[in-house]
Amino acid sequence: MTAAVVPGDTRSSGTLAPILEVRTLTKQFGRLDVLKGIDLSVREGEVVGLIGASGSGKSTLLRCVNRLEPPSGGSIRFRGAECGPKADELNRWRREIGMVFQRFHLFPHLTALQNVTLAPRKVLGVSEAQAQKEGRELLDRVHLSAKADAFPGELSGGQQQRVAIARALALKPSVLLFDEPTSALDPELVGEVLEVMQDLAKEGRTMLVATHEMQFCREVAHRVCFLDAGRILEEGAPESIFESPREPRTREFLARVLAR
């Protein structure tokens, strides 16, 4: 069972071994240095918030961790092992490290339930009956049991994102990555997605969350990392980051976003 930790209490998670370790990670696109030596450890049951301005490297970091982008340098280890280059190793890696995207990426021709059950059937070889049973349970967990037969075009943005979360959970990953999961939503729909994410945190899910939702980071994250120009400029417990940041750039960023 995943160990649960108390939000905001970094002492609770500090006794657990890292499940995910990023060391001196770099990423270049041509001559552009996007990540410039990222070091980050995530412990089992920990929620880590990634904050920073657009273009600071948050999404690229998550895409490298999920291996949607190959790192240019450095290492990423899950439970002490790196991901190999073969397709089967990559598939196993992504089964363990699930990702929820900014723009949902649901199959428009499949119902909500079909979107959730596709990967367990095709990737894990789960039977149709078992996939249907587990898929309905997952839709119920994200408060969408009544929308199992609805197509994405019939759902609101918030509902589509909750289906995407259920789909990510269907492969039973050990780590969940969230890439700005609320930034494509209308303001009134943001809360329903954050509520589901908060429930996952209470269950002890290991989560790495890139977000502009400062209140979510303050209330749910155990640790917050501020990225600037491809580096982690500052990290610490939410209260230290939000109430007494050390770096002038962190203070400048928070003053701007919290004034909105």
Side-chain angles (χ1 to χ4, degrees):
M1 181 179 292
T2 304
V5 287
V6 179
D9 184 2
T10 54
R11 295 171 300 176
S12 300
S13 57
T15 59
L16 302 175
I19 188 172
L20 186 68
E21 294 181 276
V22 177
R23 291 289 175 260
T24 60
L25 180 68
T26 61
K27 178 63 183 178
Q28 289 92 36
F29 293 101
R31 296 183 178 180
L32 180 63
D33 290 324
V34 179
L35 299 179
K36 304 172 184 176
I38 297 288
D39 288 305
L40 176 65
S41 294
V42 180
R43 300 184 184 279
E44 196 158 7
E46 189 176 25
V47 179
V48 178
L50 304 177
I51 65 172
S54 297
S56 60
K58 304 185 301 298
S59 293
T60 301
L61 171 57
L62 294 184
R63 291 177 67 84
C64 285
V65 169
N66 189 250
R67 300 306 295 246
L68 289 169
E69 294 287 352
S72 300
S75 66
I76 303 169
R77 293 179 177 272
F78 170 75
R79 299 195 191 280
E82 291 192 65
C83 180
K86 297 181 180 178
D88 60 338
E89 294 173 305
L90 195 59
N91 288 335
R92 284 197 298 271
W93 184 273
R94 289 178 180 156
R95 287 201 298 270
E96 292 285 359
I97 303 175
M99 189 155 177
V100 178
F101 298 90
Q102 186 176 26
R103 295 277 176 184
F104 325 136
H105 295 316
L106 299 178
F107 291 108
H109 62 291
L110 300 181
T111 66
L113 182 60
Q114 289 169 337
N115 267 282
V116 174
T117 59
L118 182 64
R121 291 191 295 106
K122 298 294 186 181
V123 177
L124 301 182
V126 174
S127 69
E128 177 70 27
Q130 184 66 18
Q132 289 264 336
K133 176 180 179 294
E134 294 180 356
R136 291 185 183 278
E137 290 172 351
L138 286 170
L139 287 175
D140 184 57
R141 284 181 64 188
V142 298
H143 317 301
L144 284 176
S145 56
K147 297 291 185 178
D149 297 322
F151 290 91
E154 300 170 323
L155 301 174
S156 71
Q159 290 170 334
Q160 290 185 62
Q161 191 61 292
R162 285 186 280 153
V163 173
I165 293 173
R167 179 183 59 185
L169 291 170
L171 289 177
K172 301 179 175 65
S174 298
V175 179
L176 276 174
L177 311 177
F178 290 85
D179 184 14
E180 302 284 4
T182 61
S183 63
L185 303 179
D186 292 333
E188 65 268 22
L189 302 177
V190 168
E192 62 191 50
V193 173
L194 293 180
E195 180 182 356
V196 169
M197 293 171 63
Q198 189 164 8
D199 288 343
L200 293 173
K202 289 177 181 177
E203 294 172 7
R205 289 275 177 179
T206 308
M207 298 160 62
L208 188 56
V209 184
T211 183
H212 288 295
E213 300 295 334
M214 298 299 112
Q215 194 64 26
F216 174 85
C217 282
R218 186 190 289 268
E219 295 178 355
V220 179
H222 305 95
R223 187 156 43 99
V224 177
C225 298
F226 172 66
L227 275 74
D228 185 60
R231 304 181 191 277
I232 295 180
L233 191 62
E234 184 169 357
E235 68 175 294
E239 57 268 24
S240 67
I241 296 295
F242 289 105
E243 295 173 15
S244 54
R246 300 185 311 272
E247 298 291 334
R249 180 69 186 98
T250 313
R251 293 196 293 271
E252 177 190 350
F253 170 79
L254 290 173
R256 187 173 69 249
V257 297
L258 295 176
R260 294 173 184 169

